[in-house]
Amino acid sequence: MSSSNAKKKKDPGVFEVEGAFFYERDEKPGFLVRTMTRAKPLPTVDEIWASEALLDADLPRRRERYKCDKWLTAADLERWATYHGATRDANRARLAKAAERDRLALEARRMLAMRDALTETDDDDDDDDDDDDDGESSSESESSSSSESVSSETRAKRERIRERQAELRQRQEAHERRVRQWNAEDEVDKNDARVLFPYNAAHNGVVAIWQGDITTLEIDAIVNAAKESLLGGGGVDGAIHEAAGDWLFHECKQLGGAEVGQVKATRGHNLPARFVLNAVGPVGKVPDLLAKCYEGALDLCLKHGLKSVAFSSISTGIFGYPLHSATRVALETTRRWLDAHPDHKLELVCFCVFPDAALAAYDLLTPLYFPTEATPPKKSSSKKAKE
């Protein structure tokens, strides 16, 4: 065997990842670029953060890594103090039918999933019938004992299929009961129009609602609706990992996952945002755990001295948290946190939404937690009696 074809021995102290990106330093101190290589040690989280901190001061070099062609800064996002007027009124007509359209789409997806499950079991029945026909044609010359054995195996298989069908129906019915209960509770949340907090001009100048792609915001931090593994997934989680590049995955892999309600910070890498706050939301309606996600993200902003943050709609996608109920938790938790931290340095707390239904929910409920001067909180009857 020639020396060129001989396999090189792997160094046990070196990670070898096929096609992975690793950091290489270029002529400017502290700046790391991505190069294709196969055998280099992965930098630690501390090394990644130190390198990214040096890069934060060099905005033109940072922008060279962005995967998006256009991005928005914190100054480009309209605050609630002005948004609640003309902008909100212009959106309401367009969003009037969004909630009903999403409800019908959800029902259609559930029916399609049920139909596919039943079709799969019917196909199994057809395959069994074909097997029976083949067995009958080939067993004419066989003994009666062998035919009885085949028929008993077929009956057992059909019985297992019936049991699986019954299990699928029970699971689907249980899920539909939970969804109906959540939707009923969500409808109550939607129709409750009591103003719950007093007017605060400073808060209204910080809070913003924006519909668009969260991966195009050039701000200090965006909040990712992550899974417990923190290694990416579908929806906004997958979109953020794709835009951030491979290094977000490598950094998250070193964090060892997170528990539900926990938030862990990583750098933004190829994102316009400097940080990604990975929040693991609950599956289903669990207000306490969802509130911990928003509190934890805001606490991390305070810890790292961040001035702008954008929240995605945590747990409202595949995790199944009812939209209006989740919106209330997000708004109330943020309002209480701002009230409890009057010395915060935040200049922007943005609720970034993507579907029309989510925008409609925030347009409807934000005035209850961040009222304008035209909608002061209602006084209780006991206070009126005393007056």
Side-chain angles (χ1 to χ4, degrees), residues 130-198:
D130 294 340
D131 293 340
D132 291 344
D133 295 338
D134 295 339
E136 290 175 359
S137 61
S138 62
S139 63
E140 292 179 354
S141 61
E142 296 179 357
S143 62
S144 59
S145 60
S146 61
S147 62
E148 291 176 358
S149 175
V150 171
S151 61
S152 63
E153 291 176 359
T154 302
R155 285 195 298 270
K157 189 173 183 178
R158 288 180 175 177
E159 184 63 27
R160 290 195 298 270
I161 291 173
R162 293 191 192 97
E163 292 176 357
R164 188 172 68 172
Q165 285 179 322
E167 182 183 357
L168 287 172
R169 290 192 183 96
Q170 291 176 358
R171 291 171 59 183
Q172 184 69 21
E173 291 172 359
H175 176 70
E176 289 178 352
R177 285 195 298 270
R178 290 195 298 270
V179 170
R180 284 195 295 269
Q181 179 182 357
W182 291 341
N183 287 341
E185 295 171 353
D186 200 39
E187 194 66 25
V188 173
D189 287 339
K190 177 181 177 181
N191 295 326
D192 187 355
R194 294 173 296 172
V195 178
L196 303 174
F197 290 86

Side-chain angles (χ1 to χ4, degrees), residues 320-338:
Y321 206 114
L323 178 59
H324 289 85
S325 300
T327 303
R328 281 186 176 273
V329 172
L331 292 169
E332 181 176 357
T333 304
T334 302
R335 176 60 194 253
R336 293 189 183 280
W337 191 93
L338 292 174

Side-chain angles (χ1 to χ4, degrees), residues 35-55:
T35 58
M36 291 294 293
T37 183
R38 292 188 180 182
K40 281 186 180 288
L42 288 170
T44 64
V45 173
D46 292 339
E47 292 173 343
I48 292 174
W49 279 52
S51 175
E52 293 290 328
L54 293 174
L55 188 58

